[in-house]
């Protein structure tokens, strides 16, 4: 007896001959039967008693998405998060700074007393260590407060409602409502924000979200904004309201960022990324009670420590570099000053100065170290200045280095709009697999930053405000 | 020692330059060769496609006509055609060219790649329909049979490209399909289904798309004369110039095929009005259709609009216990039957 042998080709031929007999909607039928089978199983296994939870969800949904209350609630929540961060980060920041700089003093004295050469003491304690101390003091408290609060909002299921509320804006800009989710992620870290654009279905709108994510200030830039808002904008108000003014100023900066995100999305979707908005589905999950212990763990360990560690890794070499630049003297002028002076005309054109430009160049790997770098260049030459409070920062910047309100405002704008940090640029490259889009992401942000600060500086000077 | 330095410098500079030009695979010369080969292959494949297209409509092409299609001088086109003759892809018949059997096979391969790419770009990459043709034209070249088969399988063996042209299967056969005839040939009052939209010339195609016509729509011819053509789908009216309408191919449908009176797009459902999903629009294919089905938008499911956005769009719908927001454009692709009593 012979068994007819069947080759793989026979089967493929058979499939090919049967294929025309399939009805057009057979895929729909398959999914339909899967769903009815799933419904049958769940109907047998799950018993629902009443639906009080559902009614409650509906009430909240009506509140947070209604025309009158939706947007105000969103803005209030955002302002609230900033206010809590500013108020509660202030004191721990000063305490950490005092403690860490006290250690610097003691250690430097110890080194001097045992006869270590001045350059060794300077390099290790006034360079590497001071860079680290600055980053920890400036970044740790705001992060440790901001991340958990934000994770709670995330866990509650509130963020998709924000996307739902704002979609009409994004639609007009030719973008996707879920861009609001990747922007929210960008508050934590722009690299994470870029990765989170994967939730956007259509490639065109995803690319828009990637290219504009940097207009959301990340946690590395928040301390800069908070410091400037506190030291400059809020300082002239009475202490009782100053924290609200500072939070309002940070919120204003964030809203300017949102404005530029939408503007750039609009420009992109009408030029290089032409096309109609396509494919939009957004799931609004039921509200869930946040798991607080897990939130504390993930936001403190996964996020805060992770981001801080990244900042420390770049802060130590940056501190060393600055110390070297500040202590190599050519004709009695330090190299750092030399470079800053060289960059100064360009900086002044943008309403900033050479030191700020230098700080931004050194801070390309990680934006967290902008303020520390600036402070170290301003104070690093000669005898060190001990800076523990916002009052001293104000004195150093205004009296010592000629800062004005314009410098502060333009620095906030520049910090908001300038190019993504090294990690984010690398992430954009990995996500788009394209040098073209990576370069464009830097060009459009840096271009916007230069243009906007140049315009505000010119207007302020023309009107004689500075 | 001093006189040695220029010698070392210049010899190493020359060596570097030579490496830059002649380095295998990465040198400029190799890159240029690669580019030229790819370019030649592209033109050969395009020639096959044009000849195939001509033969489908029943005529052969001359060297001059092909040169015009390829946008290159006649002399170079003749060179190309001679090469193709020696490869036995085409044969010369009194100055006009036609495909040989093996030429036809290669042409079908290119046509298949082109139409599959169009399907992919329209359904999966969600590219606007008017850009699909030119992008597919760039992507279709240099693909192996195995690659085209893989693309076919990944797309679920589609039968037609987004313009309604049939896609040949792996053995080079077209599956039976309805070719239809140009719209101006149909009388007023006929019920027709759009089976094919001609994508050349692009200007006419853009006008068809701008008018809102899609393959698969069922329409009634309301008015057909020398100045204009008016169609209706029962809700909206579509007006076309006769020259443009000649690029729309339709076939007859019986009266009953036109959309049921009580079926409306989900987007037009009143707030909190319960409805049952009847079907997804035929034109909603590929990624978008899969996503809808994955989310549970299957025929027979109960659905109702639960949350309205402050600005009317998007709207969130409750189905299978979950809440899903859709924009107007997406909601228009889901057809529902409102339930009269709740």
């Amino acid at each position: 007896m012979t068994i007819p042998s069947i080759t793989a080709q026979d089967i493929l031929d058979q499939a090919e001959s049967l294929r025309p007999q399939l009805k057009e909607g057979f895929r729909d039928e398959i999914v339909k039967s899967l769903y009815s089978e799933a419904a049958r199983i769940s109907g047998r296994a799950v018993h629902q008693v009443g639906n009080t939870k559902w009614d409650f969800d509906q009430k909240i949904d009506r509140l947070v998405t209604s025309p009158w209350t939706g947007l105000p609630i969103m803005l209030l929540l955002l302002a609230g998060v900033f206010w809590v961060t500013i108020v509660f980060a202030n004191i721990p920041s000063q305490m950490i700074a005092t403690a860490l700089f006290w250690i610097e003093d003691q250690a430097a004295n110890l080194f001097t007393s045992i006869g270590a050469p001045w350059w060794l003491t300077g390099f290790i304690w006034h360079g590497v260590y001071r860079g680290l101390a600055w980053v920890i003091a400036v970044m740790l408290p705001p992060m440790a407060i901001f991340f958990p609060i934000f994770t709670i909002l995330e866990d509650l299921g509130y963020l998709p409602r924000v996307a739902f509320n704002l979609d009409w804006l994004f639609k007009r800009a030719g973008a996707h409502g879920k861009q609001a989710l990747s922007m929210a992620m960008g508050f934590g870290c722009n690299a994470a924000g870029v990765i989170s654009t994967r939730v956007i279905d259509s490639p065109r709108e995803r690319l828009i979200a990637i290219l504009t994510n940097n207009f959301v200030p990340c946690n590395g830039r928040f301390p800069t904004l908070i410091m400037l808002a506190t030291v400059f904008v809020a300082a002239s108000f009475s202490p009782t309201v100053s924290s609200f003014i500072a939070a309002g100023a940070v919120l204003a900066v964030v809203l300017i960022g949102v404005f530029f995100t939408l503007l750039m999305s609009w420009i992109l979707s009408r030029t290089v990324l032409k096309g109609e908005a396509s494919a939009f589905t957004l799931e609004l999950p039921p509200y869930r009670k946040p798991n607080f212990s897990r939130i504390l763990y993930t936001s403190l360990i996964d996020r805060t420590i992770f981001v801080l560690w990244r900042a420390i890794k770049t802060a130590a070499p940056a501190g060393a570099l600055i110390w070297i630049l500040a202590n190599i003297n050519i004709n009695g002028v330090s190299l750092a000053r030399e470079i800053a002076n060289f960059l100064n005309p360009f900086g002044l054109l943008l309403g900033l100065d050479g030191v700020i430009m230098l700080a931004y160049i050194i801070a390309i790997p990680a934006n967290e170290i902008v303020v520390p770098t600036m402070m170290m260049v301003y104070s690093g030459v000669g005898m060190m200045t001990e800076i523990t409070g916002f009052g001293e920062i104000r004195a150093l910047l205004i009296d010592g280095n000629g800062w004005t309100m314009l410098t502060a405002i333009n620095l906030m704008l520049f910090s908001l709009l300038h190019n993504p940090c090294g990690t984010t640029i690398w992430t954009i490259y990995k996500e788009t697999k394209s040098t073209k889009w990576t370069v464009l992401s830097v060009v459009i942000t840096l271009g916007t930053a230069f243009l906007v600060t140049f315009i505000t500086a010119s207007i302020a000077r023309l009107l004689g405000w500075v | 020692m001093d006189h040695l330095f220029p010698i070392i410098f210049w010899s190493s500079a020359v060596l570097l330059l030579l490496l830059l030009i002649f380095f295998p695979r990465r040198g400029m010369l190799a890159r240029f060769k690669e580019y030229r080969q790819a370019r030649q292959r592209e033109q050969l494949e395009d020639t096959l496609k044009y000849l195939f297209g001509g033969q489908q409509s029943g005529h052969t092409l001359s060297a001059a006509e092909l040169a015009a299609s390829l946008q290159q001088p006649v002399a170079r086109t003749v060179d190309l055609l001679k090469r193709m003759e020696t490869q036995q892809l085409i044969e010369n018949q009194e100055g006009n060219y036609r495909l040989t059997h093996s030429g036809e096979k290669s042409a079908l391969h290119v046509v298949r790649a082109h139409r599959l790419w169009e399907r992919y770009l329209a359904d999966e990459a969600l590219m606007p329909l008017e850009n699909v043709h030119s992008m597919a034209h760039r992507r279709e070249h240099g693909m192996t049979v195995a690659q085209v088969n893989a693309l076919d399988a990944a797309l679920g063996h589609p039968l037609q490209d987004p313009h309604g042209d049939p896609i040949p299967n792996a053995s080079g056969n077209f599956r039976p399909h309805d070719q239809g005839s140009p719209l101006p040939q149909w009388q007023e009052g006929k019920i027709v289904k759009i089976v094919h939209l001609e994508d050349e010339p692009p200007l006419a195609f853009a006008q068809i798309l701008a008018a809102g016509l899609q393959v698969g729509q069922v329409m009634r011819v309301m008015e057909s004369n020398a100045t204009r053509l008016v169609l209706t789908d029962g809700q909206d009216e579509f007006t076309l110039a006769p020259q443009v309408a000649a690029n729309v191919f339709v076939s007859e449908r019986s009266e009953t095929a036109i959309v049921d009176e009580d079926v409306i797009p989900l987007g037009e459902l009143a707030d909190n009005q319960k409805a049952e999903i009847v079907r997804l629009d035929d034109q909603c294919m590929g990624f978008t259709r899969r996503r809808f089905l994955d989310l549970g938008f299957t025929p027979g499911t109960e659905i109702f609009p639960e949350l309205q956005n402050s600005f009317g769009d998007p709207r969130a719908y409750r189905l299978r216990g979950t809440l899903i927001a859709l924009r107007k454009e997406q909601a228009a692709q889901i057809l529902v039957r409102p339930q009269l009593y709740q």
Side-chain angles (χ1 to χ4, degrees), chain A residues 16 27-28 35 54 58 164 167 171 175 282 284, chain B residues 156 169 289 291 294 306 309 313 318 323 325 327:
Chain A
E16 182 63 33
R27 286 190 185 80
D28 298 17
Y35 260 107
W54 198 21
Q58 273 183 315
F164 180 73
D167 182 62
K171 191 182 176 185
L282 171 71
L284 302 174
Chain B
N169 66 13
R289 193 180 194 94
R291 175 49 55 91
D294 290 349
E306 188 181 292
N309 189 282
D313 195 27
R318 175 76 63 183
L323 199 54
R327 281 183 184 169

PDB file of all heavy atoms in Angstrom, chain A residues 16 27-28 35 54 58 164 167 171 175 282 284, chain B residues 156 169 289 291 294 306 309 313 318 323 325 327:
ATOM      1  N   GLU A  16      -4.074  28.204  -1.957  1.00  0.00           N
ATOM      2  CA  GLU A  16      -4.257  29.239  -2.987  1.00  0.00           C
ATOM      3  C   GLU A  16      -5.561  29.009  -3.751  1.00  0.00           C
ATOM      4  O   GLU A  16      -6.274  29.957  -4.087  1.00  0.00           O
ATOM      5  CB  GLU A  16      -3.052  29.220  -3.933  1.00  0.00           C
ATOM      6  CG  GLU A  16      -3.077  30.274  -5.014  1.00  0.00           C
ATOM      7  CD  GLU A  16      -3.049  31.691  -4.453  1.00  0.00           C
ATOM      8  OE1 GLU A  16      -2.424  31.912  -3.386  1.00  0.00           O
ATOM      9  OE2 GLU A  16      -3.662  32.560  -5.072  1.00  0.00           O
ATOM     10  N   ARG A  27     -12.273  37.682   8.047  1.00  0.00           N
ATOM     11  CA  ARG A  27     -11.479  38.067   9.218  1.00  0.00           C
ATOM     12  C   ARG A  27     -12.383  38.642  10.306  1.00  0.00           C
ATOM     13  O   ARG A  27     -12.196  38.371  11.492  1.00  0.00           O
ATOM     14  CB  ARG A  27     -10.416  39.076   8.816  1.00  0.00           C
ATOM     15  CG  ARG A  27      -9.286  38.436   8.053  1.00  0.00           C
ATOM     16  CD  ARG A  27      -8.107  39.368   7.858  1.00  0.00           C
ATOM     17  NE  ARG A  27      -7.113  38.711   7.020  1.00  0.00           N
ATOM     18  CZ  ARG A  27      -7.210  38.637   5.686  1.00  0.00           C
ATOM     19  NH1 ARG A  27      -8.226  39.202   5.071  1.00  0.00           N
ATOM     20  NH2 ARG A  27      -6.286  38.022   4.986  1.00  0.00           N
ATOM     21  N   ASP A  28     -13.360  39.440   9.871  1.00  0.00           N
ATOM     22  CA  ASP A  28     -14.319  39.981  10.835  1.00  0.00           C
ATOM     23  C   ASP A  28     -15.032  38.845  11.563  1.00  0.00           C
ATOM     24  O   ASP A  28     -15.255  38.908  12.770  1.00  0.00           O
ATOM     25  CB  ASP A  28     -15.376  40.844  10.131  1.00  0.00           C
ATOM     26  CG  ASP A  28     -14.758  42.047   9.430  1.00  0.00           C
ATOM     27  OD1 ASP A  28     -13.535  42.020   9.222  1.00  0.00           O
ATOM     28  OD2 ASP A  28     -15.494  42.982   9.112  1.00  0.00           O
ATOM     29  N   TYR A  35     -14.669  36.897  20.060  1.00  0.00           N
ATOM     30  CA  TYR A  35     -15.295  37.733  21.081  1.00  0.00           C
ATOM     31  C   TYR A  35     -16.507  37.049  21.706  1.00  0.00           C
ATOM     32  O   TYR A  35     -16.721  37.128  22.914  1.00  0.00           O
ATOM     33  CB  TYR A  35     -15.702  39.090  20.485  1.00  0.00           C
ATOM     34  CG  TYR A  35     -14.706  40.165  20.810  1.00  0.00           C
ATOM     35  CD1 TYR A  35     -13.857  40.667  19.848  1.00  0.00           C
ATOM     36  CD2 TYR A  35     -14.598  40.660  22.113  1.00  0.00           C
ATOM     37  CE1 TYR A  35     -12.927  41.646  20.149  1.00  0.00           C
ATOM     38  CE2 TYR A  35     -13.687  41.639  22.421  1.00  0.00           C
ATOM     39  CZ  TYR A  35     -12.844  42.131  21.435  1.00  0.00           C
ATOM     40  OH  TYR A  35     -11.935  43.087  21.747  1.00  0.00           O
ATOM     41  N   TRP A  54     -19.230  51.734  38.428  1.00  0.00           N
ATOM     42  CA  TRP A  54     -19.360  52.282  37.098  1.00  0.00           C
ATOM     43  C   TRP A  54     -20.033  53.658  37.129  1.00  0.00           C
ATOM     44  O   TRP A  54     -19.580  54.598  36.487  1.00  0.00           O
ATOM     45  CB  TRP A  54     -20.162  51.285  36.263  1.00  0.00           C
ATOM     46  CG  TRP A  54     -20.011  51.499  34.801  1.00  0.00           C
ATOM     47  CD1 TRP A  54     -18.994  52.152  34.169  1.00  0.00           C
ATOM     48  CD2 TRP A  54     -20.921  51.080  33.798  1.00  0.00           C
ATOM     49  NE1 TRP A  54     -19.201  52.149  32.825  1.00  0.00           N
ATOM     50  CE2 TRP A  54     -20.375  51.503  32.569  1.00  0.00           C
ATOM     51  CE3 TRP A  54     -22.131  50.397  33.808  1.00  0.00           C
ATOM     52  CZ2 TRP A  54     -21.017  51.251  31.360  1.00  0.00           C
ATOM     53  CZ3 TRP A  54     -22.746  50.150  32.595  1.00  0.00           C
ATOM     54  CH2 TRP A  54     -22.198  50.572  31.392  1.00  0.00           C
ATOM     55  N   GLN A  58     -18.577  57.291  35.982  1.00  0.00           N
ATOM     56  CA  GLN A  58     -19.253  58.152  35.020  1.00  0.00           C
ATOM     57  C   GLN A  58     -19.358  59.571  35.542  1.00  0.00           C
ATOM     58  O   GLN A  58     -19.162  60.531  34.805  1.00  0.00           O
ATOM     59  CB  GLN A  58     -20.647  57.608  34.729  1.00  0.00           C
ATOM     60  CG  GLN A  58     -20.648  56.582  33.610  1.00  0.00           C
ATOM     61  CD  GLN A  58     -22.041  56.125  33.301  1.00  0.00           C
ATOM     62  OE1 GLN A  58     -22.813  55.838  34.198  1.00  0.00           O
ATOM     63  NE2 GLN A  58     -22.367  56.046  32.026  1.00  0.00           N
ATOM     64  N   PHE A 164      -8.040  63.076  26.018  1.00  0.00           N
ATOM     65  CA  PHE A 164      -9.400  63.204  25.483  1.00  0.00           C
ATOM     66  C   PHE A 164      -9.814  64.675  25.422  1.00  0.00           C
ATOM     67  O   PHE A 164     -10.357  65.137  24.421  1.00  0.00           O
ATOM     68  CB  PHE A 164     -10.349  62.402  26.375  1.00  0.00           C
ATOM     69  CG  PHE A 164     -11.792  62.435  25.956  1.00  0.00           C
ATOM     70  CD1 PHE A 164     -12.211  61.737  24.841  1.00  0.00           C
ATOM     71  CD2 PHE A 164     -12.724  63.146  26.679  1.00  0.00           C
ATOM     72  CE1 PHE A 164     -13.539  61.752  24.441  1.00  0.00           C
ATOM     73  CE2 PHE A 164     -14.054  63.170  26.292  1.00  0.00           C
ATOM     74  CZ  PHE A 164     -14.456  62.479  25.167  1.00  0.00           C
ATOM     75  N   ASP A 167      -7.624  66.660  22.690  1.00  0.00           N
ATOM     76  CA  ASP A 167      -7.470  66.144  21.324  1.00  0.00           C
ATOM     77  C   ASP A 167      -7.878  67.145  20.246  1.00  0.00           C
ATOM     78  O   ASP A 167      -7.264  67.203  19.189  1.00  0.00           O
ATOM     79  CB  ASP A 167      -8.246  64.851  21.137  1.00  0.00           C
ATOM     80  CG  ASP A 167      -8.053  64.287  19.744  1.00  0.00           C
ATOM     81  OD1 ASP A 167      -6.901  63.972  19.409  1.00  0.00           O
ATOM     82  OD2 ASP A 167      -9.020  64.205  18.978  1.00  0.00           O
ATOM     83  N   LYS A 171      -5.724  67.845  17.075  1.00  0.00           N
ATOM     84  CA  LYS A 171      -6.291  67.552  15.759  1.00  0.00           C
ATOM     85  C   LYS A 171      -6.087  68.749  14.834  1.00  0.00           C
ATOM     86  O   LYS A 171      -5.701  68.600  13.685  1.00  0.00           O
ATOM     87  CB  LYS A 171      -7.772  67.238  15.906  1.00  0.00           C
ATOM     88  CG  LYS A 171      -8.379  66.665  14.649  1.00  0.00           C
ATOM     89  CD  LYS A 171      -9.850  66.404  14.827  1.00  0.00           C
ATOM     90  CE  LYS A 171     -10.456  65.928  13.521  1.00  0.00           C
ATOM     91  NZ  LYS A 171     -11.900  65.774  13.625  1.00  0.00           N
ATOM     92  N   ALA A 175      -1.965  66.669  14.704  1.00  0.00           N
ATOM     93  CA  ALA A 175      -1.289  65.675  15.535  1.00  0.00           C
ATOM     94  C   ALA A 175      -2.315  64.768  16.207  1.00  0.00           C
ATOM     95  O   ALA A 175      -3.516  64.858  15.958  1.00  0.00           O
ATOM     96  CB  ALA A 175      -0.434  66.374  16.584  1.00  0.00           C
ATOM     97  N   LEU A 282      -8.664  55.898  21.344  1.00  0.00           N
ATOM     98  CA  LEU A 282      -8.096  56.194  22.655  1.00  0.00           C
ATOM     99  C   LEU A 282      -8.933  55.488  23.706  1.00  0.00           C
ATOM    100  O   LEU A 282     -10.141  55.722  23.789  1.00  0.00           O
ATOM    101  CB  LEU A 282      -8.114  57.703  22.893  1.00  0.00           C
ATOM    102  CG  LEU A 282      -7.749  58.198  24.284  1.00  0.00           C
ATOM    103  CD1 LEU A 282      -6.273  57.997  24.549  1.00  0.00           C
ATOM    104  CD2 LEU A 282      -8.109  59.666  24.428  1.00  0.00           C
ATOM    105  N   LEU A 284     -10.235  54.872  27.381  1.00  0.00           N
ATOM    106  CA  LEU A 284     -10.335  55.571  28.659  1.00  0.00           C
ATOM    107  C   LEU A 284     -10.561  54.517  29.734  1.00  0.00           C
ATOM    108  O   LEU A 284     -11.694  54.078  29.933  1.00  0.00           O
ATOM    109  CB  LEU A 284     -11.499  56.570  28.620  1.00  0.00           C
ATOM    110  CG  LEU A 284     -11.418  57.631  27.521  1.00  0.00           C
ATOM    111  CD1 LEU A 284     -12.677  58.471  27.484  1.00  0.00           C
ATOM    112  CD2 LEU A 284     -10.209  58.524  27.697  1.00  0.00           C
TER     113      LEU A 284
ATOM    114  N   GLY B 156      -2.032  39.585   4.330  1.00  0.00           N
ATOM    115  CA  GLY B 156      -3.211  38.722   4.300  1.00  0.00           C
ATOM    116  C   GLY B 156      -3.718  38.475   2.891  1.00  0.00           C
ATOM    117  O   GLY B 156      -4.921  38.388   2.669  1.00  0.00           O
ATOM    118  N   ASN B 169      -1.567  36.757  -8.061  1.00  0.00           N
ATOM    119  CA  ASN B 169      -1.073  35.904  -6.975  1.00  0.00           C
ATOM    120  C   ASN B 169       0.337  35.413  -7.285  1.00  0.00           C
ATOM    121  O   ASN B 169       0.920  35.769  -8.301  1.00  0.00           O
ATOM    122  CB  ASN B 169      -2.048  34.761  -6.704  1.00  0.00           C
ATOM    123  CG  ASN B 169      -2.143  33.795  -7.868  1.00  0.00           C
ATOM    124  OD1 ASN B 169      -1.320  33.835  -8.783  1.00  0.00           O
ATOM    125  ND2 ASN B 169      -3.143  32.938  -7.839  1.00  0.00           N
ATOM    126  N   ARG B 289      -8.778  48.658  10.504  1.00  0.00           N
ATOM    127  CA  ARG B 289      -9.815  47.652  10.692  1.00  0.00           C
ATOM    128  C   ARG B 289      -9.424  46.686  11.810  1.00  0.00           C
ATOM    129  O   ARG B 289     -10.235  46.369  12.678  1.00  0.00           O
ATOM    130  CB  ARG B 289     -10.029  46.897   9.382  1.00  0.00           C
ATOM    131  CG  ARG B 289     -11.287  46.057   9.397  1.00  0.00           C
ATOM    132  CD  ARG B 289     -11.459  45.318   8.089  1.00  0.00           C
ATOM    133  NE  ARG B 289     -12.811  44.790   7.992  1.00  0.00           N
ATOM    134  CZ  ARG B 289     -13.814  45.404   7.410  1.00  0.00           C
ATOM    135  NH1 ARG B 289     -13.635  46.587   6.876  1.00  0.00           N
ATOM    136  NH2 ARG B 289     -15.004  44.844   7.367  1.00  0.00           N
ATOM    137  N   ARG B 291      -7.457  47.244  14.283  1.00  0.00           N
ATOM    138  CA  ARG B 291      -7.521  47.918  15.566  1.00  0.00           C
ATOM    139  C   ARG B 291      -8.969  47.984  16.059  1.00  0.00           C
ATOM    140  O   ARG B 291      -9.255  47.697  17.224  1.00  0.00           O
ATOM    141  CB  ARG B 291      -6.897  49.313  15.436  1.00  0.00           C
ATOM    142  CG  ARG B 291      -6.982  50.227  16.643  1.00  0.00           C
ATOM    143  CD  ARG B 291      -6.555  49.591  17.946  1.00  0.00           C
ATOM    144  NE  ARG B 291      -5.236  49.003  17.940  1.00  0.00           N
ATOM    145  CZ  ARG B 291      -4.132  49.619  18.275  1.00  0.00           C
ATOM    146  NH1 ARG B 291      -4.173  50.860  18.652  1.00  0.00           N
ATOM    147  NH2 ARG B 291      -2.979  48.993  18.284  1.00  0.00           N
ATOM    148  N   ASP B 294      -9.929  44.547  17.192  1.00  0.00           N
ATOM    149  CA  ASP B 294      -9.250  44.220  18.459  1.00  0.00           C
ATOM    150  C   ASP B 294      -9.936  44.895  19.639  1.00  0.00           C
ATOM    151  O   ASP B 294     -10.023  44.329  20.727  1.00  0.00           O
ATOM    152  CB  ASP B 294      -7.786  44.677  18.418  1.00  0.00           C
ATOM    153  CG  ASP B 294      -6.955  43.850  17.461  1.00  0.00           C
ATOM    154  OD1 ASP B 294      -7.467  42.809  17.012  1.00  0.00           O
ATOM    155  OD2 ASP B 294      -5.823  44.246  17.163  1.00  0.00           O
ATOM    156  N   GLU B 306     -21.125  57.896  25.243  1.00  0.00           N
ATOM    157  CA  GLU B 306     -21.321  58.204  26.659  1.00  0.00           C
ATOM    158  C   GLU B 306     -20.748  59.553  27.057  1.00  0.00           C
ATOM    159  O   GLU B 306     -21.334  60.285  27.850  1.00  0.00           O
ATOM    160  CB  GLU B 306     -20.679  57.106  27.516  1.00  0.00           C
ATOM    161  CG  GLU B 306     -21.010  57.260  28.984  1.00  0.00           C
ATOM    162  CD  GLU B 306     -20.361  56.182  29.825  1.00  0.00           C
ATOM    163  OE1 GLU B 306     -20.758  55.015  29.698  1.00  0.00           O
ATOM    164  OE2 GLU B 306     -19.450  56.515  30.604  1.00  0.00           O
ATOM    165  N   ASN B 309     -16.955  65.468  24.278  1.00  0.00           N
ATOM    166  CA  ASN B 309     -15.867  66.405  24.518  1.00  0.00           C
ATOM    167  C   ASN B 309     -16.412  67.818  24.469  1.00  0.00           C
ATOM    168  O   ASN B 309     -17.415  68.083  23.817  1.00  0.00           O
ATOM    169  CB  ASN B 309     -14.810  66.210  23.439  1.00  0.00           C
ATOM    170  CG  ASN B 309     -13.565  66.985  23.720  1.00  0.00           C
ATOM    171  OD1 ASN B 309     -13.505  68.186  23.505  1.00  0.00           O
ATOM    172  ND2 ASN B 309     -12.584  66.314  24.254  1.00  0.00           N
ATOM    173  N   ASP B 313     -15.600  66.873  19.503  1.00  0.00           N
ATOM    174  CA  ASP B 313     -14.778  65.842  18.900  1.00  0.00           C
ATOM    175  C   ASP B 313     -13.507  65.703  19.716  1.00  0.00           C
ATOM    176  O   ASP B 313     -12.904  66.713  20.049  1.00  0.00           O
ATOM    177  CB  ASP B 313     -14.443  66.248  17.461  1.00  0.00           C
ATOM    178  CG  ASP B 313     -13.902  65.107  16.657  1.00  0.00           C
ATOM    179  OD1 ASP B 313     -14.242  63.962  16.977  1.00  0.00           O
ATOM    180  OD2 ASP B 313     -13.140  65.365  15.716  1.00  0.00           O
ATOM    181  N   ARG B 318     -19.261  53.737  24.867  1.00  0.00           N
ATOM    182  CA  ARG B 318     -19.234  52.598  25.778  1.00  0.00           C
ATOM    183  C   ARG B 318     -19.570  51.352  24.981  1.00  0.00           C
ATOM    184  O   ARG B 318     -20.613  51.288  24.329  1.00  0.00           O
ATOM    185  CB  ARG B 318     -20.262  52.841  26.898  1.00  0.00           C
ATOM    186  CG  ARG B 318     -20.454  51.713  27.863  1.00  0.00           C
ATOM    187  CD  ARG B 318     -19.338  51.574  28.862  1.00  0.00           C
ATOM    188  NE  ARG B 318     -19.180  52.719  29.761  1.00  0.00           N
ATOM    189  CZ  ARG B 318     -18.199  52.776  30.676  1.00  0.00           C
ATOM    190  NH1 ARG B 318     -17.325  51.787  30.795  1.00  0.00           N
ATOM    191  NH2 ARG B 318     -18.090  53.827  31.461  1.00  0.00           N
ATOM    192  N   LEU B 323     -14.607  52.036  27.725  1.00  0.00           N
ATOM    193  CA  LEU B 323     -14.895  53.358  27.199  1.00  0.00           C
ATOM    194  C   LEU B 323     -13.806  53.690  26.186  1.00  0.00           C
ATOM    195  O   LEU B 323     -12.623  53.722  26.522  1.00  0.00           O
ATOM    196  CB  LEU B 323     -14.877  54.351  28.360  1.00  0.00           C
ATOM    197  CG  LEU B 323     -15.554  55.691  28.172  1.00  0.00           C
ATOM    198  CD1 LEU B 323     -16.996  55.520  27.731  1.00  0.00           C
ATOM    199  CD2 LEU B 323     -15.489  56.481  29.459  1.00  0.00           C
ATOM    200  N   ALA B 325     -12.583  56.324  22.999  1.00  0.00           N
ATOM    201  CA  ALA B 325     -12.825  57.590  22.311  1.00  0.00           C
ATOM    202  C   ALA B 325     -12.428  57.467  20.846  1.00  0.00           C
ATOM    203  O   ALA B 325     -11.391  56.886  20.521  1.00  0.00           O
ATOM    204  CB  ALA B 325     -12.020  58.706  22.975  1.00  0.00           C
ATOM    205  N   ARG B 327     -12.430  59.806  16.994  1.00  0.00           N
ATOM    206  CA  ARG B 327     -12.705  61.065  16.320  1.00  0.00           C
ATOM    207  C   ARG B 327     -13.829  60.842  15.310  1.00  0.00           C
ATOM    208  O   ARG B 327     -14.145  59.719  14.958  1.00  0.00           O
ATOM    209  CB  ARG B 327     -11.453  61.540  15.574  1.00  0.00           C
ATOM    210  CG  ARG B 327     -10.437  62.191  16.474  1.00  0.00           C
ATOM    211  CD  ARG B 327      -9.278  62.688  15.637  1.00  0.00           C
ATOM    212  NE  ARG B 327      -8.221  63.245  16.465  1.00  0.00           N
ATOM    213  CZ  ARG B 327      -7.010  63.547  16.003  1.00  0.00           C
ATOM    214  NH1 ARG B 327      -6.719  63.327  14.743  1.00  0.00           N
ATOM    215  NH2 ARG B 327      -6.094  64.056  16.793  1.00  0.00           N
TER     216      ARG B 327
END
